[in-house]
Amino acid sequence: MVIPGMLALLPVPTSTTPEPSVTPLPGSETVDQWSSYFERTFGSGWGNLAFIGVMIVLGLLLWAAGRWVITLVTRSIEEGLPLTERKARSALKRARISIPLNDTLDARLERERRKQRARTIRIVLNSTLAVLIITTVTLIVLAQIGISIAPLLASAGIVGVALGFGAQSLVKDLIAGVFMLVEDQYGVGDIIDVGEASGVVEEIGLRSVRLRSVDGTMWYVPNGNITRVGNMTRLWSRAMLEIKLGYDTDLDEAREAMLAAVEAARKADEHIDSSILSEPEVPGIESFDYDSVTVRLLIQVQPATQWDVMRALRREIRREFAQRGIAMSLPHQGFKLSQPAPADLRAAASPTHADPAHEPGLDERTRSGSVVRGDEGDVEGEGDE
């Protein structure tokens, strides 16, 4: 039995649940110290206004300084020169000393490529800097006027997660575009292959790249969808021809004919001569087939000129082969007669003729329906019946 007067003597139970501790934001103590300094100096009212004004001015100064640094860095990327060489060129211009400029097509494409890359990097860095400074100054001002920023931070985290799930493809494109720019995988004027689309790069963006294919189609490819990139005009290219020859062809003579065709192409066209960067190579036999031997010709050329060089080489190789009597491989379905077929072969191939005056050895048909063509020389081979 408990006496009512004894209730006052009983100990009051206390809760053992610890109170949640609030982790201060990084740098919040420094901000509080400066806020207290302004309150002691100018009073509680004017001190807060003075502190807010100083924070805004400081944010603007940081933004201007950051933009200056970003412009300095991206200008070096755009000009393709280190800072010391750029200063030397400026000094030469002030001294009115002319500087020779390389105004070739490749040089213009390279300048345009650097400009596109520098412009995109400048936009990304300026936007990131502005977002960071505006967010930081806004949070400091809200905390100074008495608005709790903890719920705002929690809400921003929830909104960020929701946007992350809803815009995954956009974030993926942006991240892939940043890495593409940093690694300099391709630029304006390059000819690239990204899988389903290939062509000349006309514009590079942080979200997508624009390609012009050989048939004139304009392709817009998101950066996040590019899993691999083949750059066919990076620093140098290679012209490669694979020629199928017959088994009875003299390979040494064929190799001499191919090298002679390269020299003839260089003498015939100055553009082809300036495009070739190395001596031609004919390594040897690349592969055997049931009716041919494959020989490969390799030449290192200027970027994006391999197609012009290969077209000129095909023309000259055809001429050289014709002059030297080098024949290409024939398909196994037919055979060639260089003289009228013998009587026994005609009888076996076609027992009866509708026209007795039909000239033997021309357009004869075998029992399988194959057509025999030619009218001179010996029988060189027979096809499958």
Side-chain angles (χ1 to χ4, degrees):
M1 181 177 180
V2 180
I3 302 174
M6 297 178 59
L7 294 176
L9 301 176
L10 295 177
V12 179
T14 58
S15 175
T16 59
T17 303
E19 295 182 357
S21 59
V22 179
T23 303
L25 296 175
S28 59
E29 296 181 357
T30 304
V31 174
D32 293 339
Q33 292 176 0
W34 280 101
S35 177
S36 301
Y37 171 77
F38 276 91
E39 288 182 0
R40 291 193 304 268
T41 304
F42 300 99
S44 60
W46 290 103
N48 291 335
L49 294 178
F51 178 74
I52 291 173
V54 169
M55 288 295 101
I56 294 175
V57 172
L58 182 60
L60 293 176
L61 293 177
L62 290 175
W63 179 70
R67 285 180 61 91
W68 178 78
V69 174
I70 292 172
T71 302
L72 186 65
V73 173
T74 55
R75 186 180 299 171
S76 299
I77 297 175
E78 181 177 347
E79 295 178 357
L81 300 174
L83 186 60
T84 54
E85 186 174 350
R86 186 154 47 83
K87 289 182 176 179
R89 289 200 173 194
S90 300
L92 290 175
K93 288 181 179 179
R94 287 195 298 270
R96 296 183 179 180
I97 299 177
S98 61
I99 302 174
L101 296 176
N102 189 9
D103 198 25
T104 61
L105 177 62
D106 294 337
R108 291 196 297 270
L109 290 176
E110 185 65 25
R111 288 197 298 269
E112 183 64 23
R113 170 178 181 166
R114 291 196 302 265
K115 288 180 181 179
Q116 290 276 351
R117 183 170 177 241
R119 181 179 64 84
T120 308
I121 293 176
R122 186 183 303 118
I123 292 174
V124 173
L125 294 180
N126 286 334
S127 301
T128 305
L129 177 65
V131 170
L132 289 177
I133 292 178
I134 291 175
T135 302
T136 303
V137 173
T138 302
L139 292 177
I140 292 175
V141 171
L142 291 177
Q144 188 65 26
I145 62 179
I147 298 176
S148 178
I149 62 175
L152 295 177
L153 295 177
S155 301
I158 296 174
V159 172
V161 172
L163 291 178
F165 280 107
Q168 292 183 14
S169 60
L170 178 60
V171 175
K172 182 180 179 182
D173 294 340
L174 296 178
I175 294 176
V178 170
F179 279 102
M180 181 273 298
L181 291 172
V182 171
E183 297 174 1
D184 194 18
Q185 298 175 3
Y186 50 84
V188 174
D190 283 343
I191 301 176
I192 64 174
D193 181 1
V194 294
E196 296 182 359
S198 62
V200 182
V201 179
E202 290 194 353
E203 185 177 353
I204 295 177
L206 195 61
R207 196 196 68 84
S208 64
V209 59
R210 191 175 71 184
L211 304 177
R212 176 78 67 176
S213 64
V214 67
D215 61 353
T217 304
M218 180 66 69
W219 293 93
Y220 294 88
V221 184
N223 293 323
N225 294 344
I226 300 176
T227 57
R228 55 94 173 153
V229 179
N231 195 332
M232 293 178 278
T233 56
R234 181 69 172 175
L235 300 180
W236 55 271
S237 301
R238 175 169 287 163
M240 183 181 71
L241 294 178
E242 290 189 346
I243 303 174
K244 294 183 180 295
L245 303 173
Y247 275 103
D248 57 347
T249 303
D250 188 348
L251 295 183
D252 292 334
E253 185 178 2
R255 181 178 182 276
E256 293 179 0
M258 294 166 68
L259 297 180
V262 175
E263 293 299 326
R266 301 185 71 167
K267 292 179 180 178
D269 193 340
E270 184 179 354
H271 172 68
I272 300 299
D273 184 35
S274 61
S275 299
I276 296 177
L277 300 177
S278 67
E279 295 298 325
E281 300 179 10
V282 183
I285 298 176
E286 294 298 327
S287 64
F288 281 110
D289 206 348
Y290 51 82
D291 60 351
S292 64
V293 176
T294 302
V295 181
R296 180 179 294 172
L297 174 65
L298 300 174
I299 306 178
Q300 186 174 340
V301 297
Q302 294 281 359
T305 62
Q306 60 266 38
W307 296 282
D308 295 336
V309 172
M310 287 190 291
R311 281 190 287 267
L313 292 181
R314 291 189 187 100
R315 182 182 64 250
E316 296 298 332
I317 289 175
R318 179 180 179 274
R319 183 184 57 80
E320 287 287 337
F321 279 10
Q323 291 180 357
R324 298 171 183 254
I326 301 175
M328 305 289 290
S329 64
L330 291 175
H332 75 290
Q333 288 84 357
F335 58 89
K336 179 180 178 182
L337 295 179
S338 56
Q339 68 178 5
D344 54 350
L345 179 60
R346 296 201 309 271
S350 180
T352 59
H353 289 293
D355 184 6
H358 180 73
E359 185 177 357
L362 289 177
D363 295 337
E364 297 287 353
R365 292 187 177 272
T366 63
R367 287 191 296 270
S368 61
S370 301
V371 179
V372 181
R373 300 182 184 276
D375 59 351
E376 59 182 1
D378 296 329
V379 177
E380 295 182 356
E382 293 186 4
D384 298 336
E385 293 186 356

